[in-house]
Amino acid sequence: AQSVTQLDSHVSVSEGTPVLLRCNYSSSYSPSLFWYVQHPNKGLQLLLKYTSAATLVKGINGFEAEFKKSETSFHLTKPSAHMSDAAEYFCVVTIYFNKFYFGSGTKLNVKP
Amino acid sequence: EAQVTQNPRYLITVTGKKLTVTCSQNMNHEYMSWYRQDPGLGLRQIYYSMNVEVTDKGDVPEGYKVSRKEKRNFPLILESPSPNQTSLYFCASSGRRVPEAFFGQGTRLTVV
């Protein structure tokens, strides 16, 4: 069985400071992992994905995530937050790409 | 342009009045699925389809029906909607050789 735990439901940072959104996963097999972002009243946009290649994955808008098998983690980071990063972020795991398991989401607030 | 198209985007209906939300993808993907998004719960899978005429229940299938008569289309049917089905719905498609899910823009359903 697969599952995802996003450790923080809300994260608040100041503009220009680093962002860390935490995600732990559980999977019986080698997973593929994703981060999606959802801006208010918008759909889901893929930020980045890990599919068993390099463990440090770079995505759009300066985000990156590192797959750590020993820690079963896939935390999302960005060196410097921008106001436009304020959104809800979802960590997602899948094995066979027919079913995607979502975390409960982390709302990122960016203060000026 | 690769896309998943859902219609309608917004729908207000009354309890018990049958409705259908359509979903179409233009990427020739084998897999399609429906999710509902509720605050604090992330996205939960309602039904999924591995290919034409092959469908199966997800985590929250009660009160919903689906069909997959053509590869590109995967409509979601609510035979007798109830207020607890008020939610934001997303259709997704993915393929065996495509390591990510593509999501529609969402359908916000309100049942009164």
Side-chain angles (χ1 to χ4, degrees):
Chain A
Q2 291 78 45
S3 67
V4 177
T5 302
Q6 291 184 241
L7 297 159
D8 307 290
S9 58
H10 291 81
V11 169
S12 186
V13 301
S14 297
E15 191 174 21
T17 63
V19 175
L20 169 63
L21 306 183
R22 299 182 293 165
C23 172
N24 286 113
Y25 70 92
S26 172
S27 178
S28 308
Y29 302 97
S30 297
S32 293
L33 291 152
F34 308 81
W35 277 98
Y36 283 84
V37 60
Q38 185 180 33
H39 288 92
N41 300 313
K42 299 287 186 184
L44 292 154
Q45 181 183 20
L46 179 67
L47 269 182
L48 50 80
K49 59 189 176 189
Y50 166 78
T51 55
S52 78
T55 57
L56 182 61
V57 181
K58 294 189 185 301
I60 62 172
N61 300 333
F63 284 95
E64 62 181 41
E66 186 170 8
F67 174 71
K68 291 187 177 180
K69 187 175 181 178
S70 60
E71 299 175 13
T72 61
S73 69
F74 191 58
H75 300 335
L76 182 70
T77 61
K78 183 174 181 177
S80 177
H82 192 274
M83 295 297 293
S84 61
D85 295 328
E88 188 162 20
Y89 292 78
F90 293 97
C91 183
V92 182
V93 65
T94 188
I95 302 295
Y96 301 117
F97 300 100
N98 59 331
K99 182 167 184 175
F100 292 78
Y101 295 85
F102 283 74
S104 54
T106 299
K107 288 186 177 172
L108 176 65
N109 178 45
V110 182
K111 297 175 288 187
Chain B
E1 180 190 351
Q3 60 184 4
V4 177
T5 304
Q6 290 178 231
N7 280 296
R9 292 288 310 280
Y10 301 91
L11 180 58
I12 301 174
T13 190
V14 296
T15 299
K17 185 177 180 182
K18 180 180 179 179
L19 66 92
T20 299
V21 184
T22 64
C23 174
S24 180
Q25 51 98 0
N26 64 358
M27 295 166 279
N28 202 37
H29 285 164
E30 295 86 358
Y31 310 139
M32 296 186 74
S33 52
W34 278 101
Y35 295 83
R36 61 177 288 173
Q37 182 181 13
D38 301 292
L41 296 177
L43 276 75
R44 295 176 293 167
Q45 193 183 57
I46 302 169
Y47 267 96
Y48 66 97
S49 170
M50 301 285 280
N51 216 320
V52 176
E53 303 291 3
V54 181
T55 62
D56 208 347
K57 296 177 180 178
D59 298 317
V60 287
E62 293 77 21
Y64 304 95
K65 281 177 57 176
V66 294
S67 67
R68 186 99 181 267
K69 292 183 170 52
E70 305 166 281
K71 197 171 186 179
R72 63 184 289 125
N73 296 323
F74 191 48
L76 179 69
I77 303 157
L78 284 72
E79 295 267 3
S80 183
S82 63
N84 65 11
Q85 293 178 298
T86 292
S87 189
L88 179 59
Y89 292 86
F90 286 98
C91 180
S93 76
S94 52
R96 272 188 227 107
R97 297 181 182 84
V98 178
E100 70 179 87
F102 293 78
F103 288 88
Q105 283 298 98
T107 296
R108 188 166 291 281
L109 172 65
T110 302
V111 183
V112 298

